[in-house]
Amino acid sequence: MSDTHAQTVAFVRESMVPPADPPLGETGIFKWVRENLFSSWLNVLLSVLSIAFVVWALAHLLPWFLQSVWDAGSLTECREIRDARYGEGAASACFAVITERWNQLLFGFYPPEHYWRPVLAFVLFLVAVSPVLFQGLPRRLLAFTAIYPFIGYWLLWGGTIWGPLLVIAGFVIGWGAFRLAEPRLGTLAAAIAAILLPLAWWFFAVGPIAGDLAQIAPIGLVRIGSGDFGGFMLAFIIGVAGIALSFPLGILLALGRQSHLFIINKSCVGFIEIIRGVPLIVWLFTASLLLNYFLPPGTNFDLMLRVIIMVTLFAAAYMAEVIRGGLAALPRGQYEAADALGLDYWKAMRLIILPQALKISIPGIVNTFIGLFKDTTLVVFIGLLDPIGLSNAIRASTEWNGIYWELFVFIGLLFWICCFSMSRYSMYLERKLETGHR
């Protein structure tokens, strides 16, 4: 090759080609549609069928919602308004039943003049759980979290204020007994004293003392029996109580099932397998009918309290298996690391093992919570008027006989809001605790 030719051929770029936009089919919505909806002939077929179904469903549902009637005194009046506005037989929802009976669906037969009490109890509940769910809040709020169950009970059921205060005093007695007895008698004897003394106080002293104090200083709210509870408030109380109580009990059962002590291990295994092997509805019937046969004659054991106990035990059995899965998924090296640090069993569990096991178990735990909350609708079969039970009572009235979907849409929306909130919080918690290890 000659020198002249070598000098005229450029091997090094002296100017850049101006950038060009990517093809239209490789950006934005066009790329997403091509990759997710029409990437193959099967996806094309499924996408077309799905879009056709959505269009068909919206064509039937949107007129039903958009042409709904919100102000009427009965189903007959609702249909008359529909015929006058949209024509005879037009698709129209009669949400007037929600407008008229929303308070009954939410509060049951709770006296209307006392609605402020469950509303205040709900607001205080949100304040009480906030420091547990979110780390950025002041830790001082945990003191309010600890006493909220007694405040919530007093607001909802009413009665003298001395009863809840004396119950709190029982916990103080147990704590004081443990602190005084541990240096002299040892941890086991101190723990037994811390359990027996509060039980004796609650069973034998709280009632008489509360009655005497109520005579001297009658401070309290109007007493409202459990028979007046109903609607979504009833489902919320049973669900929240079951969730709050079953979680620590499930942790203890999971640890007990992994214990090397024969009696503790077999007792926990037997409890978990018996509870999980029987449907919840059977346990609810047990709480409603059979439990009274084992109580002393004349004992008035509140049905709502019996249901809360049974729901708690049922959820705790499932919670124990979820947490046991988290404990089993933890590498053996974590247990060995705790031993190498010289930690005893409880410190190892509290500081190293349980935090990691609970993190692994978050999806299963929240799934159990959501299932428990939805299962509260089963109490309708034992005579408690939850939202489903009240919807049946409303549909049986002469004014609203024949209405159906509107009530269940409203009830389903309430349950969806609560369950979706729990699901989103679990996702937030998983992202917050993500350490980057897979």
Side-chain angles (χ1 to χ4, degrees):
M1 183 180 293
S2 65
D3 294 339
T4 304
H5 179 73
Q7 292 176 357
T8 58
V9 178
F11 290 94
V12 179
R13 183 190 299 273
E14 295 180 353
S15 62
M16 298 296 295
V17 177
D21 294 332
L24 191 62
E26 296 295 328
T27 59
I29 187 64
F30 296 100
K31 179 181 179 182
W32 184 91
V33 168
R34 182 176 59 80
E35 292 182 351
N36 293 277
L37 299 182
F38 303 110
S39 59
S40 66
W41 69 268
L42 180 59
N43 281 356
V44 170
L45 178 61
L46 294 177
S47 298
V48 170
L49 292 177
S50 300
I51 293 172
F53 174 77
V54 171
V55 171
W56 175 84
L58 291 177
H60 287 78
L61 290 177
L62 283 180
W64 188 72
F65 278 103
L66 296 177
Q67 299 176 170
S68 57
V69 178
W70 290 86
D71 188 12
S74 65
L75 180 59
T76 303
E77 183 180 347
C78 199
R79 287 172 175 170
E80 292 174 354
I81 296 174
R82 176 203 63 187
D83 294 342
R85 289 180 182 176
Y86 310 111
E88 186 174 355
S92 174
C94 184
F95 286 117
V97 63
I98 307 299
T99 306
E100 183 174 325
R101 298 295 184 95
W102 67 268
N103 53 345
Q104 193 174 1
L105 289 169
L106 291 180
F107 301 105
F109 299 104
Y110 208 85
E113 63 272 16
H114 295 289
Y115 281 169
W116 64 271
R117 288 162 56 176
V119 172
L120 178 59
F122 177 72
V123 173
L124 294 180
F125 167 76
L126 297 179
V127 176
V129 299
S130 295
V132 178
L133 301 180
F134 305 102
Q135 286 187 340
L137 298 176
R139 298 290 95 183
R140 293 188 297 271
L141 286 175
L142 288 174
F144 178 75
T145 304
I147 65 173
Y148 170 76
F150 309 99
I151 298 175
Y153 174 85
W154 179 62
L155 283 173
L156 292 172
W157 277 270
T160 177
I161 197 174
W162 300 112
L165 291 178
L166 291 174
V167 172
I168 295 175
F171 288 99
V172 176
I173 291 172
W175 175 80
F178 182 84
R179 294 295 299 271
L180 292 175
E182 184 182 20
R184 300 175 177 83
L185 303 177
T187 303
L188 180 60
I192 294 174
I195 295 174
L196 294 181
L197 286 178
L199 290 176
W201 169 262
W202 292 328
F203 280 106
F204 301 108
V206 168
I209 296 176
D212 294 338
L213 291 175
Q215 295 292 330
I216 298 173
I219 303 173
L221 297 171
V222 175
R223 181 73 180 176
I224 298 177
S226 297
D228 294 328
F229 285 63
F232 194 73
M233 180 179 69
L234 175 68
F236 192 82
I237 292 173
I238 295 175
V240 169
I243 289 172
L245 296 174
S246 65
F247 184 63
L249 183 56
I251 293 176
L252 293 177
L253 287 171
L255 296 178
R257 184 158 189 168
Q258 288 197 328
S259 174
H260 297 295
L261 299 176
F262 180 82
I263 296 179
I264 294 178
N265 178 275
K266 297 309 177 185
S267 298
C268 293
V269 170
F271 175 86
I272 292 171
E273 297 302 331
I274 291 174
I275 294 293
R276 291 173 67 236
V278 179
L280 177 58
I281 187 64
V282 176
W283 292 119
L284 293 178
F285 276 115
T286 302
S288 175
L289 303 174
L290 301 181
L291 197 58
N292 282 334
Y293 292 107
F294 300 98
L295 298 174
T299 302
N300 184 18
F301 196 6
D302 188 80
L303 176 59
M304 191 171 171
L305 179 58
R306 283 180 271 163
V307 168
I308 290 175
I309 292 173
M310 281 299 180
V311 168
T312 299
L313 297 179
F314 186 82
Y318 280 87
M319 188 69 61
E321 289 300 281
V322 172
I323 296 173
R324 188 172 71 91
L327 292 171
L330 209 60
R332 182 62 190 170
Q334 298 297 317
Y335 295 87
E336 296 172 352
D339 295 337
L341 291 173
L343 300 178
D344 61 24
Y345 177 81
W346 292 110
K347 285 185 178 179
M349 286 295 166
R350 181 170 59 89
L351 299 176
I352 296 179
I353 307 302
L354 275 179
Q356 299 181 77
L358 294 178
K359 173 190 169 183
I360 297 172
S361 306
I362 286 175
I365 291 173
V366 176
N367 184 62
T368 303
F369 286 165
I370 292 175
L372 168 64
F373 189 72
K374 292 187 294 185
D375 284 344
T376 57
T377 55
L378 293 176
V379 300
V380 67
F381 294 108
I382 59 172
L384 293 179
L385 292 179
D386 74 319
I388 302 298
L390 281 173
S391 70
N392 295 333
I394 292 172
R395 290 189 295 112
S397 63
T398 55
E399 295 87 358
W400 302 108
N401 187 13
I403 204 160
Y404 188 78
W405 288 107
E406 293 83 350
L407 291 169
F408 290 106
V409 167
F410 179 72
I411 295 170
L413 179 63
L414 293 179
F415 276 99
W416 180 83
I417 290 173
C418 292
C419 295
F420 182 73
S421 300
M422 286 189 279
S423 175
R424 298 304 297 179
Y425 174 76
S426 72
M427 297 174 64
Y428 156 80
L429 193 59
E430 288 184 70
R431 290 192 301 268
K432 185 178 181 63
L433 298 178
E434 180 60 51
T435 58
H437 298 290
R438 296 291 181 182

